Amino acid sequence: MSFSDLGLAPALVSALTDAGFSEPTPVQARAIPLALEGHDLMVSSQTGSGKTAAFMLPALHKQVQASPLRTPGVRVLVLTPTRELAQQVTDATRTYGKALNWLRTATVVGGMPYGAQLKALSRRVDVLVATPGRLLDHVQSRKVDLSEVEVLVLDEADRMLDMGFIDDIEAIVARTPQSRQTLLFSATLDGSVARMAAKMMRDPQRIEIASQKEKHVNITQSLLYADDMGHKMRLLDHLLRDVNIQQAIVFTSTKRAADDLADTLADQGFAAAALHGDMNQRQRTRTLGQMQRGQVQILVATDVAARGIDVQGISHVVNFDLPMQAEDYVHRIGRTGRAGRDGLAFTLAVHGERHKIRNIERYTDQSIPVQVVPGLEPQRAPRPGADRPRRGGPGSKPGWRPGGRGGYQSRDSGNRPEGRGRFERDPDSRPVFGDRPRGERQYGDRTQGERSYQDRAPRERAYGAGDRSDRARTDRPYAERPWGDRPRAAQGDAERRERPTQAWNERPRTGRAEGERRDAPVRRFDSRRRAA
């Protein structure tokens, strides 16, 4: 089957032939005829299967068949989750529509200056490729008219939902006409994707060419265990010094780790560069251009690059950090082995991450074989249950692990003689404090029963000689009551007791006669200045 058999316009078929596309892929062969008939589509296909052409070719065909006398406005709107994917779709659109000299394409993504985008939107735009956040800004400022949209494409819809674009997508879709054709492409077609499709699609046709869980038969996957970060760095150095390596992508979990690892590899002599979301669009475009031209051999990236990078020369993918979601693992390793080529995917993990490996294996329905590099074997074997996440409480402290029935036991409790309970003490061991007889408890060099009243310090007999019970504290004269070691001044106390008590209004006013009013003298500003 060829592209001409699908019913595409001759101009599009000629452009595909010039670009080297001989025959359609399975997803293109099934999606293009249904899209040309005007159906809404929900498509799930494996990454790298040619889905960009599956939605862009029928959209361009509709533009070729349309009347040239029509009102200006965006006709094809493509929403993507990342800037890299938007740029990839734009490049593919220009390749497919190379013979259509009148076709105008614009890209609206975050991280780029508003001025250039406003200039592009001020002219006629036939195909608009955008990320939801930046497009909504232009829509709300009335810089984009979506009332003439004929084809709406949601590319990587599940990824856009994961990134929190659901509100932006609904606001954008509300500005498009109800008569539009909607094409949705996603890794999964269930859950939140299905609920969103039910709101904005009319009787969609469901196409599942290849699930994301399908085995990558042309990608050799390997799992390497490491003891610590130093061991992981030595394994990475061994992998990147393979003579058969062409270009590689090393995935990290954070942006800072991507920058640090790229700097480390550059210091070791590798042509390495970082790619993550904190870089502006100009930097990211320049890095991807260097990667496509072969100037960068090792690209250290976060998951933002897992979708949308289409570099044919990538032969190795290394998961330096495990992904947060199991499906991201599929998108990561899908950066290699594209267009029928073979690829290698390596995953580095510590023993405590075995539960994440099992989640990936359950999601992909296949096991990842463990590989051991001679001379870099892990020195510590995984303990049984070490991959289980620890619960909170005392069992999560270092040196302790949960025991049975709510108790906790030390790591060396495995040396307990067989048959003895967890809290049963060895009868031959030294008795603890609570097991001693009361008379044997020592206080310094004396037993507790031998400590008499005469042995106490003088300060402890502050109430006088003799037993305290013979004389109560309140029965002694006031002068005999001590305050520390010094007696109180009885004379001062007597004077305070004999002082008459007067109300506040009975006290005489000193310096004034009865009824005399004391007024403050009036001081003028100039008199104060002269006095100063």
Side-chain angles (χ1 to χ4, degrees):
M1 178 182 294
S2 62
F3 285 102
S4 59
D5 298 333
L6 300 179
L8 292 173
L12 298 177
V13 176
S14 176
L16 291 172
T17 303
D18 295 341
F21 299 97
S22 57
E23 58 182 16
T25 62
V27 64
Q28 296 168 1
R30 290 190 56 184
I32 291 178
L34 292 176
L36 292 178
E37 295 176 3
H39 295 285
D40 288 358
L41 299 182
M42 294 177 59
V43 183
S44 173
S45 63
Q46 181 182 352
T47 178
S49 59
K51 57 184 177 59
T52 302
F55 62 76
M56 189 54 67
L57 289 176
L60 295 180
H61 175 85
K62 183 173 290 189
Q63 303 309 306
V64 173
Q65 301 298 324
S67 172
L69 301 177
R70 56 181 183 175
T71 59
V74 178
R75 303 295 174 174
V76 179
L77 175 61
V78 182
L79 297 180
T80 64
T82 62
R83 312 170 198 174
E84 285 73 25
L85 186 56
Q87 189 62 45
Q88 175 184 333
V89 172
T90 302
D91 296 340
T93 303
R94 291 170 179 168
T95 300
Y96 304 150
K98 187 176 182 181
L100 309 178
N101 299 327
W102 49 267
L103 186 69
R104 290 188 178 180
T105 305
T107 307
V108 172
V109 295
M112 292 294 289
Y114 276 87
Q117 296 180 1
L118 293 176
K119 183 179 180 181
L121 295 175
S122 63
R123 297 175 293 183
R124 178 178 58 86
V125 177
D126 299 308
V127 179
L128 178 60
V129 185
T131 52
R134 178 58 65 89
L135 177 60
L136 186 60
D137 293 343
H138 290 298
V139 169
Q140 293 176 344
S141 61
R142 301 180 183 275
K143 302 299 183 182
V144 180
D145 181 17
L146 302 180
S147 61
E148 301 294 334
V149 172
E150 299 175 356
V151 179
L152 171 64
V153 180
L154 302 176
D155 194 11
E156 302 285 2
D158 58 327
R159 183 64 172 175
M160 288 192 288
L161 294 182
D162 293 340
M163 298 174 66
F165 285 135
I166 179 62
D167 295 334
D168 296 345
I169 293 174
E170 292 179 350
I172 292 172
V173 172
R175 307 293 182 96
T176 60
Q178 294 291 334
S179 59
R180 70 183 184 275
Q181 180 185 19
T182 305
L183 307 178
L184 184 146
F185 287 75
S186 174
T188 59
L189 300 179
D190 301 326
S192 58
V193 176
R195 290 191 294 269
M196 182 180 67
K199 296 180 181 179
M200 60 184 63
M201 303 183 75
R202 303 185 311 272
D203 190 20
Q205 299 291 321
R206 191 183 182 103
I207 300 176
E208 295 188 51
I209 297 298
S211 172
Q212 288 295 317
K213 300 180 182 180
E214 183 180 358
K215 298 180 180 180
H216 293 273
V217 294
N218 59 330
I219 300 177
T220 304
Q221 305 177 48
S222 301
L223 173 62
L224 292 85
Y225 279 108
D227 294 326
D228 48 28
M229 184 58 65
H231 188 195
K232 186 182 289 189
M233 287 297 299
R234 292 191 295 272
L235 289 173
L236 178 64
D237 182 79
H238 171 79
L239 296 176
L240 297 182
R241 294 190 184 279
D242 185 3
V243 294
N244 297 322
I245 190 172
Q246 300 175 11
Q247 286 180 309
I249 296 183
V250 180
F251 285 101
T252 60
S253 57
T254 62
K255 306 168 188 175
R256 182 174 180 179
D259 284 331
D260 294 342
L261 184 57
D263 294 340
T264 302
L265 294 177
D267 293 340
Q268 294 176 357
F270 294 99
L275 181 68
H276 52 75
D278 280 352
M279 302 168 59
N280 59 47
Q281 187 59 38
R282 195 181 305 275
Q283 294 173 327
R284 293 163 70 169
T285 303
R286 182 175 65 250
T287 302
L288 285 178
Q290 294 173 348
M291 187 78 176
Q292 293 173 349
R293 293 190 298 270
Q295 298 174 353
V296 172
Q297 184 186 22
I298 311 298
L299 182 66
V300 185
T302 57
D303 283 324
V304 71
R307 308 181 186 221
I309 293 183
D310 188 8
V311 180
Q312 302 298 330
I314 296 177
S315 59
H316 290 59
V317 168
V318 180
N319 293 307
F320 188 79
D321 296 327
L322 290 179
M324 298 299 296
Q325 304 293 333
E327 63 182 68
D328 290 334
Y329 172 84
V330 179
H331 290 285
R332 284 184 176 188
I333 67 174
R335 297 308 100 193
T336 185
R338 305 188 58 94
R341 295 182 175 88
D342 295 333
L344 298 175
F346 298 93
T347 300
L348 307 181
V350 297
H351 297 297
E353 296 175 325
R354 294 178 63 195
H355 63 284
K356 295 183 180 180
I357 298 297
R358 287 200 299 267
N359 292 337
I360 295 175
E361 292 176 341
R362 282 195 295 264
Y363 181 81
T364 58
D365 293 333
Q366 59 178 337
S367 61
I368 307 176
V370 179
Q371 178 181 346
V372 178
V373 178
L376 294 177
E377 302 88 348
Q379 300 300 319
R380 294 196 302 266
R383 293 186 294 106
D387 54 336
R388 303 175 191 166
R390 294 184 176 182
R391 299 179 180 178
S396 61
K397 294 182 180 180
W400 292 84
R401 57 187 175 90
R405 299 181 182 178
Y408 294 88
Q409 55 187 355
S410 174
R411 286 180 178 174
D412 59 354
S413 59
N415 300 325
R416 184 173 55 241
E418 183 178 1
R420 187 177 303 155
R422 189 188 319 122
F423 301 107
E424 183 179 352
R425 188 173 294 109
D426 188 357
D428 298 332
S429 61
R430 180 176 59 86
V432 297
F433 179 79
D435 294 337
R436 298 176 188 173
R438 187 176 182 85
E440 296 180 4
R441 300 179 186 177
Q442 297 182 357
Y443 188 87
D445 297 333
R446 297 185 297 259
T447 61
Q448 188 172 3
E450 295 177 355
R451 191 167 184 257
S452 62
Y453 172 78
Q454 288 80 9
D455 294 332
R456 300 178 185 176
R459 188 175 295 274
E460 299 183 30
R461 294 176 285 139
Y463 296 113
D467 192 2
R468 301 182 193 177
S469 61
D470 296 340
R471 193 158 114 197
R473 183 176 182 181
T474 56
D475 295 338
R476 287 173 289 178
Y478 184 85
E480 296 180 5
R481 299 178 187 178
W483 181 268
D485 294 334
R486 294 174 296 177
R488 291 187 177 184
Q491 182 179 0
D493 294 342
E495 291 179 357
R496 282 193 296 272
R497 287 195 298 270
E498 295 175 359
R499 183 180 301 168
T501 303
Q502 295 178 342
W504 66 273
N505 54 357
E506 297 177 355
R507 298 176 185 175
R509 300 181 179 181
T510 59
R512 295 197 300 271
E514 184 70 21
E516 182 181 0
R517 181 178 179 183
R518 182 177 179 180
D519 297 328
V522 179
R523 299 177 61 183
R524 302 182 63 86
F525 174 77
D526 54 351
S527 64
R528 291 197 302 268
R529 183 172 57 184
R530 286 194 298 268

